[in-house]
Amino acid sequence: KSVFLSLLSIFVLIPATLFLGTKLSGRQYYLTITLIIIEVMLPFFCLFEARKPQPRELVTIAVMAALAAASRAAFAFLPSFKPITGIIMICGMAFGAEVGFLTGALGIFASNFLFSQGPWTPWQMLAYGLAGFISGLIFHKRKEKFKPLVPAVFGFMLVLLLIGPILDCCTVFTSLTTFSWPAVAFVFAQGFPLNVSHAVATALTLFIFGKPLLEKLERLQTKYGMMQRE
């Protein structure tokens, strides 16, 4: 049920809210952000309630989201160099797809209090949440079989082929007054070098910090029995 609710929220409710949000004007985009947060939280609350979570699990998620936000703030002088995606992916690999998505969405939302909220926030929550979700689906329970280079290459391609294009779509919908294929192509071309820089930062984060951080999170998970389905 938790997986079904997660997929329903990510691929149906959130895209529908994003589409409806483009029809709003003025400061009403905050309504879109609120709806996105509710839709992101719902499946995870259902999951946690079903397994009666302990406070330490919620604290761990909050700490990882704060760490992701801090990693973005630390490199604010290089806007396109974002280790935050690698941190989110590591969290998904350690604790699973649902926790990875929640960490990504909350991490980017929290960091935007430093970088400013706006109509781009729901798009960023979706993009970075998907990074954690997909990483959890692929690497969770199988992470010990992969060398550090494999997640690094995967992170590079994920950012370049999915996360970056989603953020470019945000630019298209929030900046273009009239839509045309040349204008859309221009936005994607301008965003490609930034996506490459973002992908490199993600790959380096996973390659350098992936193994030691995963070991610490696994030790924490094993010691306290957190984020485990019965």
Side-chain angles (χ1 to χ4, degrees):
K1 291 182 180 180
S2 63
V3 173
F4 174 76
L5 287 173
S6 300
L7 294 175
L8 178 65
S9 176
I10 294 171
F11 294 108
V12 179
L13 296 180
I14 292 178
T17 305
L18 288 172
F19 175 76
L20 293 176
T22 61
K23 306 300 181 181
L24 300 177
S25 59
R27 300 177 62 85
Q28 296 190 35
Y29 56 75
Y30 284 109
L31 175 61
T32 304
I33 296 175
T34 303
L35 291 175
I36 291 290
I37 294 174
I38 294 174
E39 292 162 0
V40 168
M41 294 291 187
L42 180 60
F44 306 110
F45 280 146
C46 293
L47 172 63
F48 286 158
E49 183 180 359
R51 67 185 187 188
K52 298 180 180 179
Q54 298 178 348
R56 60 172 68 103
E57 295 185 353
L58 301 178
V59 171
T60 301
I61 294 176
V63 169
M64 291 304 299
L67 178 62
S71 68
R72 185 187 181 194
F75 287 85
F77 60 95
L78 294 174
S80 60
F81 194 85
K82 303 175 181 178
I84 182 175
T85 310
I87 300 297
I88 293 169
M89 293 178 65
I90 291 171
C91 187
M93 295 174 188
F95 297 134
E98 295 90 349
V99 176
F101 187 89
L102 183 59
T103 302
L106 289 179
I108 199 65
F109 180 74
S111 66
N112 273 359
F113 283 102
L114 299 176
F115 292 91
S116 76
Q117 304 285 358
W120 50 84
T121 301
W123 294 87
Q124 292 175 330
M125 292 174 65
L126 175 63
Y128 289 94
L130 282 176
F133 187 83
I134 295 174
S135 300
L137 285 179
I138 295 177
F139 290 97
H140 187 53
K141 299 296 185 182
R142 296 187 293 271
K143 49 187 175 293
E144 67 279 353
K145 300 180 181 179
F146 300 101
K147 296 181 179 180
L149 184 61
V150 175
V153 173
F154 173 79
F156 181 90
M157 299 305 297
L158 182 66
V159 171
L160 197 63
L161 300 179
L162 180 63
I163 309 305
I166 291 178
L167 298 176
D168 291 337
C169 287
C170 169
T171 304
V172 168
F173 282 99
T174 56
S175 64
L176 295 182
T177 55
T178 57
F179 292 92
S180 64
W181 286 114
V184 173
F186 177 79
V187 171
F188 275 82
Q190 291 293 311
F192 183 76
L194 302 179
N195 293 337
V196 172
S197 178
H198 184 184
V200 170
T202 302
L204 289 176
T205 302
L206 290 169
F207 185 78
I208 298 174
F209 299 104
K211 184 176 180 180
L213 189 54
L214 275 174
E215 290 176 351
K216 292 184 181 300
L217 293 177
E218 286 177 350
R219 190 179 302 115
L220 186 68
Q221 184 179 21
T222 302
K223 181 177 181 179
Y224 296 106
M226 300 187 306
M227 318 297 181
Q228 295 178 355
R229 290 188 177 88
E230 296 181 358

